[in-house]
Amino acid sequence: MEPVNRGDKKTRVRYGMLALVFINVVINYLDRSNISVAAATFSKDLHLSSVQLGLIFSAFGWTYAFLQIPGGLIADRFGPRILYAFCLITWSLATLFQGFARGFASLFALRLATGAFEAPSYPINNRIVTSWFPDHERASAIALYVSGQFIGLAFLTPVLVTIQFYAGWKGLFITTGLVGLVWGVIWYLFYRDPLDHPRVNQAELEYIEQGGGLVRKKTATSHTSVWSWGNFKQVFSSRTLWGVYIGQFAVNATLWFFLTWFPTYLVQYRGLDFIKSGYLASVPFLAACAGLLLSGFLSDNLVKKGRSVGMARKTPIIIGLLLSVSIIGANYSNDTTMIIFFMALAFFGSGMALISWVFVSILSPKHLIGLTGGVFNFMGNLASIVVPIVIGYLARGGDFKPALIFIGALGLIGACSYIFLVGKIERAPVPDNEQERALLSANE
């Protein structure tokens, strides 16, 4: 469908679409992190050990990570409007049913289901931003929608704590599940791709496309199937992409500590009051949001000033990963203020590094953005499996210090990956056979 508004002054519909994605991310992370708020209570009610709790924390990651590649392929095949609505509704149902879990097995299974249905979400986010935003606005756009995970958690964690205080952990899961179900319907009613939106005009479409936005991105067809071994070889054989994959694992290691063990760390290992911990837990999320927004706008500003893409995109990420190592500082203080300071500084750095999704838009072959995003998110979200389980084992004797050293060491490894593995920043070319196949498809 052609856009109906064709005024000379370009519209700004892309920002409205970004706002919808922002809310998707808020809900996405509420349903990932509500388990951490509920853990201190349900672990006692269900008589779970620290190792069992670590396994439950990791359950989301098992399906979420291993379905990233299929999720990316699905994002290349189906439009964001229908696919995202389906994902929102199904993962919200899985969240709601967690309120009826009766033991380790049922809660573990429902967390697996939540991860499975959330799997396509970030490849879809990346596809939306790639089609709606030109290159020079993309890091800022990514920073804005990713900030939803921190803004939402910073301001809503105290709300979640309050809901649990009055309605219990079961009421917490039911409430967050119902919110997602309602939003899934709203998303379907309001989202459209660029060429299908009735309010976008030709000036905005040309602005996006001339700036490198893939306005005319088509879903995969039988002529250009993304399921070939050649396509997989492309996204797994690049040293640059491997550097980005390893870096993303390190970024997500810090993130998943905060999404899973952080509230339990404050309550059980630092002896803080449950309600107080809910408010203190919001501080690092605000810091991460500030780091993310600073990094996104700084990176885009460097591009606009003519700095190389590699310098503009990599520098904030490397600085952020190095700052995330400061989480180890919490091991050397018993003062609550200093503990929260080190946590906030580390998460500020992790937030800076989260503009790394921009490399999927920059580096991936144009016909494999969803697949590359899926592989990128798969490699990064292996941390959602490894980190909660490793922390559960490291902390089983009652000492959390080794766990924080583990997180800090991963941050250092991530910084080294960007410094030594990520080389020249340029989009991977389409192989000759793919170019010929696309040409034949266009002529038929």
Side-chain angles (χ1 to χ4, degrees), residues 211-247:
L214 303 183
V215 168
R216 304 181 192 279
K217 168 82 172 95
K218 301 296 183 181
T219 56
T221 69
S222 58
H223 295 287
T224 58
S225 172
V226 293
W227 294 87
S228 71
W229 285 113
N231 290 338
F232 280 98
K233 182 179 178 181
Q234 265 197 286
V235 298
F236 276 110
S237 62
S238 166
R239 189 192 77 169
T240 297
L241 283 175
W242 269 105
V244 173
Y245 298 156
I246 295 169

Side-chain angles (χ1 to χ4, degrees), residues 150-399:
F150 301 124
I151 293 175
L153 294 177
F155 290 103
L156 293 179
T157 294
V159 176
L160 296 179
V161 169
T162 303
I163 291 172
Q164 177 169 310
F165 184 77
Y166 289 103
W169 61 271
K170 296 183 178 183
L172 175 62
F173 285 126
I174 292 170
T175 301
T176 50
L178 288 173
V179 169
L181 287 173
V182 172
W183 181 252
V185 175
I186 294 173
W187 165 266
Y188 180 79
L189 293 175
F190 287 95
Y191 179 80
R192 297 291 188 278
D193 282 333
L195 294 178
D196 298 327
H197 203 289
R199 295 184 181 275
V200 69
N201 67 4
Q202 192 64 31
E204 183 174 15
L205 289 177
E206 290 175 355
Y207 171 76
I208 296 169
E209 193 163 28
Q210 290 171 6
L214 303 183
V215 168
R216 304 181 192 279
K217 168 82 172 95
K218 301 296 183 181
T219 56
T221 69
S222 58
H223 295 287
T224 58
S225 172
V226 293
W227 294 87
S228 71
W229 285 113
N231 290 338
F232 280 98
K233 182 179 178 181
Q234 265 197 286
V235 298
F236 276 110
S237 62
S238 166
R239 189 192 77 169
T240 297
L241 283 175
W242 269 105
V244 173
Y245 298 156
I246 295 169
Q248 190 66 4
F249 181 94
V251 173
N252 278 0
T254 304
L255 173 63
W256 277 96
F257 162 71
F258 282 97
L259 290 178
T260 55
W261 279 100
F262 182 47
T264 302
Y265 167 71
L266 294 179
V267 174
Q268 294 186 4
Y269 295 86
R270 288 298 188 170
L272 297 185
D273 173 78
F274 179 70
I275 294 293
K276 183 179 180 181
S277 72
Y279 286 92
L280 290 176
S282 69
V283 175
F285 286 106
L286 288 172
C289 180
L292 174 63
L293 294 175
L294 172 65
S295 181
F297 289 110
L298 173 63
S299 181
D300 276 350
N301 191 48
L302 288 172
V303 171
K304 291 174 184 176
K305 288 184 176 180
R307 301 296 176 91
S308 70
V309 173
M311 182 270 186
R313 302 310 193 198
K314 286 195 290 186
T315 301
I317 295 173
I318 293 169
I319 293 172
L321 283 164
L322 291 174
L323 283 176
S324 71
V325 180
S326 65
I327 197 171
I328 298 173
N331 283 342
Y332 301 97
S333 178
N334 291 318
D335 180 70
T336 301
T337 301
M338 291 305 299
I339 291 169
I340 297 300
F341 168 76
F342 284 119
M343 293 289 165
L345 181 61
F347 215 13
F348 174 85
S350 180
M352 287 188 68
L354 273 171
I355 65 162
S356 49
W357 263 100
V358 74
F359 285 107
V360 177
S361 300
I362 296 172
L363 298 173
S364 64
K366 290 185 178 181
H367 66 305
L368 296 176
I369 290 174
L371 176 58
T372 309
V375 173
F376 172 83
N377 219 19
F378 163 71
M379 301 298 291
N381 276 284
L382 288 176
S384 67
I385 301 170
V386 174
V387 170
I389 293 176
V390 171
I391 290 177
Y393 277 96
L394 291 176
R396 68 186 184 278
D399 184 4

Side-chain angles (χ1 to χ4, degrees), residues 74-80 122-132 145 191 193 214 217-220 369-370:
I74 291 169
D76 278 331
R77 178 65 181 86
F78 297 99
Y122 264 68
I124 301 172
N125 292 343
N126 192 64
R127 175 175 168 176
I128 291 168
V129 170
T130 303
S131 63
W132 271 104
Y145 82 67
Y191 179 80
D193 282 333
L214 303 183
K217 168 82 172 95
K218 301 296 183 181
T219 56
I369 290 174

